Amino acid sequence: MPHDHDHDPHHDHDGDHPHSHLPSDPALRVKALETLLVDKGLVDPAALDKLIETYEHEVGPRNGAKVVAKAWSDPAFRDWLLKDATAAIASLGFLGRQGEHMVALANGPGVHNMVVCTLCSCYPWPVLGIPPVWYKSEAYRSRAVIDPRGVLAEFGVTLPDETEVRVWDSTAEIRYLVLPERPAGTEGMSEEELAALVTRDSMIGTDRLEGAAS
C-alpha cells in the first residue's frame, strides 16, 4: 500500500509496518458500512457471506467458458444453445438472477457478434459474473453502436473488411452470450482444456480467440 505521509529516511524497513497490510481506502469504507449495517441489525452476516461466496465460486466467466466448450464439443448441445440458450445453460446448473432470457450468438466465418447495453448494464451474471467497468462506461455504450470496428480495434481485434460486425443491444428482457469460433488446432482437446482457452471478452465479442479462422 502506498504511504501517504512524508517518508522518514530513518524509518526502520526491517521492522513490521503496522499499516502496510491494511486494505485500500474504498475497502475500508465498505467494511465500515458493512459493520454499521450488521450492528444495526439491517444485514445478516451469514447472508453477506453467502453472497460473497456465490460471486467468488458459483458465478462468473468460467461458467460461460464451460458453456462455450460444451457447445464446441457437442453439436447437439450447440444446436440447443442457439435455439434456447436459457434452457441449455440451465441444464449445466448455471441459474439465477440475470440468467433469464438468454440468447446465444454464434460467431463464424464472415460474422462477428458484439454485445453492448445502451441503457443500463444488463449482463448475464451466472455465465459472465460481474460486468467489467468498461462495459458500463458511456464511452463503450455509445461508441460500440456507432463505431464497432473502431472499438474492437482498441481491444486489439482487427477483422477483415468482408466480416460483418453485428452489434446487439442487451436489455433486461434479452441477455446475450457470444459463442466464439473454436480456435484452430484444438481438435482432440477435452472440454476442460477448451474452457481454459475461452476469455470473458470473447463471450462479449470484444475479443477474438487466437487461432480462430477468418
Side-chain angles (χ1 to χ4, degrees), residues 94-161:
F94 306 140
L95 303 162
R97 188 182 176 195
Q98 304 269 38
E100 314 89 350
H101 317 303
M102 292 293 302
V103 172
L105 308 164
N107 285 350
V111 176
H112 183 91
N113 295 285
M114 181 178 179
V115 181
V116 68
C117 184
T118 55
L119 295 178
C120 52
S121 60
C122 296
Y123 199 73
W125 292 355
V127 286
L128 291 185
I130 303 298
V133 172
W134 55 260
Y135 186 81
K136 298 185 289 184
S137 70
E138 186 64 28
Y140 176 76
R141 288 155 57 186
S142 58
R143 291 188 55 231
V145 176
I146 298 169
D147 180 22
R149 286 182 182 274
V151 172
L152 287 172
E154 291 173 14
F155 278 92
V157 177
T158 303
L159 299 171
D161 292 341

